[in-house]
Amino acid sequence: MRTFIIYSRGRTDSRFNIEDLPSSGGRMDLVARCINSALWLSHGIRRNTRLYIVLNGAPSPPVTLCFDGSKIKRISPDERSIAIWIKKVLASDFGKEWKEFRNGILVSRKSFQDIVKEHDKKNIYVLHEKGKKMKLKKDPVFVLGDNFDIPKKEEKFVLKYGKKLSIGEKSYLSSSCISVLNWLCDK
Amino acid sequence: MRTFIIYSRGRTDSRFNIEDLPSSGGRMDLVARCINSALWLSHGIRRNTRLYIVLNGAPSPPVTLCFDGSKIKRISPDERSIAIWIKKVLASDFGKEWKEFRNGILVSRKSFQDIVKEHDKKNIYVLHEKGKKMKLKKDPVFVLGDNFDIPKKEEKFVLKYGKKLSIGEKSYLSSSCISVLNWLCDK
């Protein structure tokens, strides 16, 4: 099992405009591309991969979406299609516990720290330009920010459980980091 | 200089629907993601990278778009924004020779073979699951297909100038291949 956890500033209700994902959605375009990079192969889904998107934007953070590659069905890989699903999930009723909105898409009001704690027995790697290069262990959990770094307080928390990993000195798009990490794990 | 050439089945006029890039655009969503992966870093553009998209879809193939990272300005990295630019370029007047539509975006009626020939003195690598692993030389030119392979006839042509390169046995999204290739070249 391969896991990605994204700390995002994405909006936490469905009142964002599908025609303006970057502004109205709090970079929901970036979120959609991360989902695409994590789960899609050229002609199939990565069944061994799960992705958590922790939304921390207005109006009612946190909300966490989980996309489970082992169960996902009939979703197109383009940003708009993925964002329409996110909008539908956010418009539904849900609380603190996981609710399966449809096959392989779950939602809850869990926080970034809740999600990290759910993975505290695993090999957690926090992506950072200033981290170390290292050999990846089995069943890795990768933690990434969106277009801004993970807030210091949250980074300090997750580093109690994991290590700072660097894949290079450049600051890459989150979706590009995910593509590279998936490829490194495939090798 | 780093170059990507994408053989796409994308539509060759502007009559595609921004709200339906996958079907009406002939996978113009995929084209937009390739542009994103090739040119964007987290907070900037890869100034050393150029991307050619050869559109071979209806109604009047071929059309080639060139996105030149050294000159591009004020474009957002989301699929919709990139696709809106493609639509504007395709709605403009252009012929066989390169026309600069705006800073860093050029268009012409050149074919896949024309573009390959313009790079015949360089190190051309044709991405293929069944290619070989190899060390990349300076100023590489990477040739990729879209969601389908490059047609046999075109592949045979480009292999007169280049080699079949594999980055793994899995069939990755074109945009993911580009992210991995950019990362390998950065190392």
Side-chain angles (χ1 to χ4, degrees):
Chain A
M1 173 58 70
R2 205 174 288 174
T3 307
F4 294 94
I5 302 174
I6 315 291
Y7 184 98
S8 150
R9 278 82 174 169
R11 192 162 173 93
T12 44
D13 73 3
S14 64
R15 280 176 293 170
F16 61 87
N17 182 352
I18 289 289
E19 268 76 68
D20 177 21
L21 299 175
S23 299
S24 74
R27 295 306 309 273
M28 205 60 93
D29 63 311
L30 180 158
V31 167
R33 279 196 303 281
C34 286
I35 296 169
N36 168 292
S37 297
L39 295 182
W40 266 268
L41 288 166
S42 186
H43 295 282
I45 297 285
R46 288 182 177 275
R47 298 294 172 199
N48 67 339
T49 303
R50 194 179 288 164
L51 176 83
Y52 296 88
I53 309 279
V54 190
L55 302 169
N56 292 285
S60 51
V63 171
T64 298
L65 310 173
C66 173
F67 287 77
D68 181 349
S70 71
K71 293 188 184 169
I72 271 185
K73 280 182 193 167
R74 287 186 294 278
I75 299 190
S76 297
D78 61 297
E79 281 176 24
R80 182 185 162 89
S81 297
I82 294 173
I84 286 173
W85 279 112
I86 295 175
K87 207 171 157 78
K88 286 182 185 171
V89 180
L90 290 174
S92 72
D93 273 332
F94 58 90
K96 184 81 183 176
E97 295 311 310
W98 287 116
K99 184 191 131 188
E100 186 152 21
F101 175 74
R102 58 167 263 160
N103 283 353
I105 306 184
L106 295 92
V107 60
S108 79
R109 298 205 175 272
K110 291 181 193 279
S111 69
F112 178 73
Q113 296 194 6
D114 293 333
I115 302 298
V116 169
K117 274 185 270 179
E118 287 184 6
H119 294 82
D120 63 353
K121 299 285 179 292
K122 298 206 170 173
N123 296 302
I124 297 183
Y125 299 97
V126 185
L127 264 280
H128 200 286
E129 297 90 327
K130 290 176 182 158
K132 286 187 182 166
K133 289 181 189 179
M134 56 187 89
K135 205 166 180 283
L136 300 173
K137 291 188 181 164
K138 218 187 145 194
D139 296 334
V141 177
F142 299 108
V143 181
L144 295 88
D146 54 4
N147 52 322
F148 297 105
D149 288 340
I150 301 167
K152 282 287 163 229
K153 184 185 142 207
E154 304 291 8
E155 187 182 87
K156 204 174 158 189
F157 179 83
V158 64
L159 285 172
K160 286 195 272 181
Y161 304 94
K163 295 169 186 167
K164 250 188 199 178
L165 168 73
S166 170
I167 56 166
E169 285 162 25
K170 283 197 164 60
S171 184
Y172 294 106
L173 296 181
S174 307
S175 51
S176 295
C177 289
I178 293 172
S179 293
V180 170
L181 291 166
N182 258 333
W183 180 76
L184 287 170
C185 291
D186 288 342
K187 284 216 302 180
Chain B
M1 173 59 70
R2 205 173 289 173
T3 307
F4 295 94
I5 301 173
I6 315 292
Y7 185 98
S8 150
R9 277 83 175 170
R11 193 162 172 92
T12 43
D13 73 3
S14 63
R15 280 176 293 170
F16 60 88
N17 182 353
I18 289 290
E19 269 74 69
D20 177 21
L21 298 176
S23 299
S24 74
R27 295 307 307 275
M28 206 60 92
D29 62 312
L30 181 158
V31 167
R33 279 197 301 282
C34 286
I35 297 169
N36 169 292
S37 296
L39 296 182
W40 266 268
L41 288 166
S42 186
H43 295 281
I45 297 285
R46 288 182 179 274
R47 297 295 174 196
N48 66 339
T49 303
R50 194 180 287 164
L51 176 84
Y52 295 87
I53 309 279
V54 190
L55 302 170
N56 293 286
S60 51
V63 171
T64 298
L65 309 174
C66 172
F67 288 77
D68 180 349
S70 70
K71 293 188 184 169
I72 270 184
K73 281 182 193 167
R74 287 185 294 278
I75 298 189
S76 297
D78 60 298
E79 280 176 25
R80 182 184 162 89
S81 297
I82 294 172
I84 286 174
W85 280 112
I86 295 175
K87 207 172 159 77
K88 286 181 184 172
V89 179
L90 291 174
S92 72
D93 272 333
F94 58 90
K96 184 82 183 178
E97 295 311 309
W98 287 116
K99 184 192 131 187
E100 186 152 20
F101 175 74
R102 59 166 263 158
N103 284 352
I105 306 184
L106 296 92
V107 59
S108 79
R109 297 204 176 273
K110 291 180 193 281
S111 70
F112 178 73
Q113 296 194 6
D114 293 333
I115 303 299
V116 169
K117 274 186 270 180
E118 288 184 5
H119 294 82
D120 64 353
K121 299 286 180 291
K122 298 206 169 172
N123 295 302
I124 296 183
Y125 300 98
V126 185
L127 265 280
H128 200 285
E129 297 91 329
K130 290 176 183 159
K132 286 187 181 166
K133 291 182 186 177
M134 56 186 91
K135 203 166 182 283
L136 301 172
K137 291 190 181 165
K138 218 186 146 194
D139 297 332
V141 176
F142 299 108
V143 180
L144 295 87
D146 54 4
N147 51 322
F148 296 106
D149 288 340
I150 300 167
K152 282 289 164 229
K153 184 186 141 205
E154 304 291 9
E155 188 182 85
K156 205 174 158 188
F157 179 84
V158 64
L159 284 172
K160 286 194 273 181
Y161 304 95
K163 295 169 185 167
K164 251 187 198 178
L165 168 74
S166 170
I167 57 166
E169 283 161 28
K170 284 197 163 60
S171 184
Y172 295 106
L173 297 180
S174 307
S175 51
S176 295
C177 290
I178 293 174
S179 294
V180 170
L181 290 167
N182 258 333
W183 180 77
L184 288 170
C185 291
D186 288 343
K187 284 217 298 182

